[in-house]
Amino acid sequence: MTMANTPSNSSSSPIEQYLRRLHAKYAALQEGRVADYIPELSKANPDWFGLCIATRDGQVYEVGDCRQPFTIQSISKALTFGLALEDRGEDYMLSRVSVEPSGEAFNAISLKPGTGAPFNPMINAGAIATCGQVLKQEGLSRFDRILACLSRYAGRPLDVDEAVYLSESETGHRNRAIGWMLRNFDIIEEEPTEILETYFRQCSIRVTCRDLAIIGATLANHGRNPLTREMAIDPVHVDKVLSVMATCGMYDYSGEWIYRVGLSAKSGVGGGILAVLPGQLGIGIFSPPLDAQGNSARGLKVCEDLSRDLALHLFATGISPRTAVRLTYDASQVASSRRRAPHPQHILRTSGHRIRVMALQGELVFSTFEPVVDLALKQAPYCRYLILNFRNVTSINDVVLKLIGELRSSLARLGVTMVICSADKFGKNLRHQGMDSLPQFKDDDFALEYCENRLLEEILGPGWRLDKPLTLADCLLFSGLTQEELAWLDLRMGLGEASQGDYLIREGETGDSLLILLAGSVDVHLASDTGQLGRRVNVFEAGISFGEVGLLDASPRSASVIAAEPVEYRVITRELFNSLDIENPSLKIKLLNNISLSLAANLRRLSIELTTYKG
Amino acid sequence: MTMANTPSNSSSSPIEQYLRRLHAKYAALQEGRVADYIPELSKANPDWFGLCIATRDGQVYEVGDCRQPFTIQSISKALTFGLALEDRGEDYMLSRVSVEPSGEAFNAISLKPGTGAPFNPMINAGAIATCGQVLKQEGLSRFDRILACLSRYAGRPLDVDEAVYLSESETGHRNRAIGWMLRNFDIIEEEPTEILETYFRQCSIRVTCRDLAIIGATLANHGRNPLTREMAIDPVHVDKVLSVMATCGMYDYSGEWIYRVGLSAKSGVGGGILAVLPGQLGIGIFSPPLDAQGNSARGLKVCEDLSRDLALHLFATGISPRTAVRLTYDASQVASSRRRAPHPQHILRTSGHRIRVMALQGELVFSTFEPVVDLALKQAPYCRYLILNFRNVTSINDVVLKLIGELRSSLARLGVTMVICSADKFGKNLRHQGMDSLPQFKDDDFALEYCENRLLEEILGPGWRLDKPLTLADCLLFSGLTQEELAWLDLRMGLGEASQGDYLIREGETGDSLLILLAGSVDVHLASDTGQLGRRVNVFEAGISFGEVGLLDASPRSASVIAAEPVEYRVITRELFNSLDIENPSLKIKLLNNISLSLAANLRRLSIELTTYKG
């Protein structure tokens, strides 16, 4: 038994325990016969038995003979079909090979009356026709390209079992007859000889049970190998490959297979079964003895158990896409981090509900995004700005890209401006939808700030920001102070000016002063992990004071404060602050009172935010 | 054009706009012929054309003739098959009717050689056999039960088009022949006459295009009608119904249908098509002219467009289940709301990482839960407690219920105690898994508190909580005060005691005192929406003071504080606090300083929590 790439506590994993029990349950099963139509295949050990699951994230669970090479045989048909689709396109391929189940055995010469098109690419006739459609490219033979393609699926360079290939070629007369029939109907355009040798070599490619699971995981992962991250097939063709596997992959057992097991699958006479639960995982089974229909006998039992025990049936997995709406709130609940003077702050408290935020999540497809469209239009009468936050979005399909553009137009007609944020990773796709002019921001904080500024301008008029510098009496820190107290402080406080980009406070330094901003605004940044200037966490406008905690306990500064524009400020040093204890205790008491109230107000604001995020 | 149950801004919805464009695109299509094998059907207007989408949440989009009644015909076969599965079980039904595509027309007498079992329940022979397996129950005829079942799917009482029924019955000789063949092979156990009349009536049930979409949404919603919330079919059989529709639902076009359209579907000669994207939505199409295979000609075109335009292909929807891990953190990042004395608080800051929380989300099935198992086992060496939070979990399937139990055992062997919270809604299911003894809590706060208490006991020994009442010097509010200052305060502060359940502070009352807890603990509760005692937001232990904000600004109390056990406390009234300005300003400055530092510490804690939740 091999165990690799598995969780560190593999012996403790209930998933591995289950797979080992399942392996033990069927290891003794004595049903079916090893294929013997060519001598090489009959050499397989009927006791070989491997089972492997690979998730679309690349987690691999292996039990049994998962590293024993064997020939891929008919399983290759599904993968070559995908390659031919890439080379020739949908319509061309459908004109050559149909996709209806034939109800007949794998080696029947099932050609449709009239056109001569094989019933489907999973029977020999269809597979040979498909093989003949793969193009030669840049000095690469058909077979070179097929081998490279299958190697991308498996995530490692595969090779051919030459003995099996020779054996296949020596005995493949029935397939040669099929090849000439295909030539007769012009399904293939050249003499079949080379195509047949390519087909025999394709069937003789060596894989392991683990390879099959990873090939399956690649199909489950929309064509990208989850371990190497390489694309094995253009994602637009993955659905077609999985469709044909679902209806025709298990020969004349296909209907019952979907009914009982419910996975897209393909079997081969080498004893392999490749099964896929689309979007979720791949399964590889290897056990050479075959049943009457040519499917691995143990493999069928194991897959039935797996599907039932792990609820992997396509139509019964219990997976329904969740709405893309993760959270909705408005700017009266969670405002931007811009701390404003009392008047604009008050306006935003009363009108903030006109800015709505919808935090989205997961994969945006029609079903998950439909509730977003519905909710956005229902909220439109009550709001002026709608922010869509893409931070927790993992993918956006073309349907939704289009819907986003159309939703924007619908909202605009209703007087609502749509704003998006945290969508950098989808930037190119969004641009393709002509959304260059859509207001886009790095994160929700910048988006909120933009909408707040616009809303304030709409309510207060365009000149609202051009106020003259504040007086000390305008500052919250000094509320309740008498004229005498203000004058007393005015004489003693320091005075500062700074240009855009200047540091007023540096993170990590010991706090020794409290600053009161009288003109301009400053940005508050946390250091990033690398010590560089990191995320902006606040903006303070004139009227706000900061640095009080460092003054109180001489702790290191928890963030850097940088002038966002030319600023004017006043400074209360520790020396001055401490001297108040003796020189002006009643003033000190008033200041501490105001500091406490401002901290309490921030605490209340954060509590509301926290409740909003915890949901 | 009818529009109902649609979003309020229906004219603005890009989804409705798209459906209207699609309707207009195909309204003029002149292909196919209205069925005329019975006179009643030939009366249908070939221009009737409705299309309707219903989501599994019950959102309905309708365009065109969605309220025009017509007979359900063969679409009923899929639903009666589900009813027969409920009555007879899987194995029995499979012994009577196979599930392989026949590749033949709908009215072929396709019986398997030997057994005489019809190929599948979607052809007439299989449908009649299936109809004969529905049981009579409690005075209800087979037909009564079929009509009731279909009405549950549609979410309204359906009825029969008696003229169509009479016409079907008068001309149904071929079906009578099939019935007697089934009797001959003992596929049905009684004379077929009554069964055939039931079958003719079943096919004559009247539905609308809207009904079909809702029937589809019911199947997409695992058998529960999304509008009435009634179960139409036991969820365990939904996958089988969808499987047979997928492989056999569109007659001998089924393979190409799955390939091109990729939906589970069933058509009827009345011109209806029922299509289902499992877990997501149902589609109803109504357009009487049929193509050569008996499928609605417009319906096929519309479905191909819908599948492509909205990316609804089963294997190409881009939906992959997301990991169930929403968020992970430890108790050093987000602690419980129990505010403790400095020493235990310090221990939890340094050892809190040994309590890990995994907040889970969405539907827990094998694929989404596998990463939880993997991560839990990887973290096991570094932690002592693992809290699984089910708050954002929407469903748990049986596989995962079992895995939870097994994971618990695996973790226990590694010395980790698993704790779950916010799982009340799954309580019954969890109990079935014998997890009664698993520590379960109402929410993550209670779970964290439990783990913190256990961890403290493990570190400090069992007696750590049995401390004697604190002295004033032990309280944070008084840190830095001299013995004289403490004695001065001791003389003037009020003294209080309360029993469990007594209110120390009532939400909404004006704050006029600050309380310092010396023994026991208190719970802090917010009022619920109904004004009742609501969510617990904090626990304060001895050494903590509270109520300072009300004292500073005389604002109404923001929460109620209730003794959780017998408590002793001291009181600083507003009168005393204000008198300090004159009588003892240096003491007042020390108190305000401590209040500010404590508020700043809370602010820092909340910021970290917020960062954790925002991710």
Side-chain angles (χ1 to χ4, degrees), chain B residues 282-326:
Chain B
I283 297 172
I285 311 279
F286 170 51
S287 167
L290 309 179
D291 70 4
Q293 278 121 337
N295 297 316
S296 167
R298 267 199 201 99
L300 289 189
K301 300 268 187 197
V302 169
C303 287
E304 255 191 61
D305 273 33
L306 272 175
S307 171
R308 185 189 60 238
D309 295 345
L310 303 184
L312 302 182
H313 194 292
L314 253 179
F315 299 129
T317 57
I319 289 287
S320 307
R322 301 162 62 220
T323 170
V325 182
R326 183 183 178 90

Side-chain angles (χ1 to χ4, degrees), chain B residues 176-193:
Chain B
R176 289 195 176 88
I178 291 174
W180 284 104
M181 286 299 287
L182 294 171
R183 180 70 195 90
N184 173 61
F185 281 108
D186 273 332
I187 298 294
I188 54 179
E189 294 85 352
E190 59 191 83
E191 292 208 352
T193 316

Side-chain angles (χ1 to χ4, degrees), chain B residues 59-105:
Chain B
Q59 185 75 253
V60 181
Y61 296 91
E62 301 178 49
V63 183
D65 302 307
C66 288
R67 307 290 178 126
Q68 170 64 44
F70 59 96
T71 51
I72 189 167
Q73 299 294 345
S74 291
I75 298 170
S76 64
K77 294 170 177 173
L79 309 179
T80 304
F81 179 59
L83 183 59
L85 281 174
E86 285 190 327
D87 281 1
R88 301 289 193 160
E90 290 285 320
D91 295 339
Y92 184 92
M93 281 308 292
L94 258 189
S95 74
R96 300 291 155 137
V97 184
S98 178
V99 291
E100 287 297 330
S102 71
E104 297 181 298

Side-chain angles (χ1 to χ4, degrees), chain B residues 516-529:
Chain B
I516 305 105
L517 201 60
L518 292 182
S521 63
V522 296
D523 291 338
V524 185
H525 286 267
L526 292 179
S528 70
D529 293 338

Side-chain angles (χ1 to χ4, degrees), chain A residues 9 56 320 367 377 391 615, chain B residues 9 12 56 280 320 377 391 615:
Chain A
N9 287 293
R56 67 170 292 217
S320 308
S367 294
L377 293 171
R391 186 189 160 98
Chain B
N9 288 291
S12 296
R56 67 170 291 216
Q280 301 191 42
S320 307
L377 293 171
R391 186 187 160 103

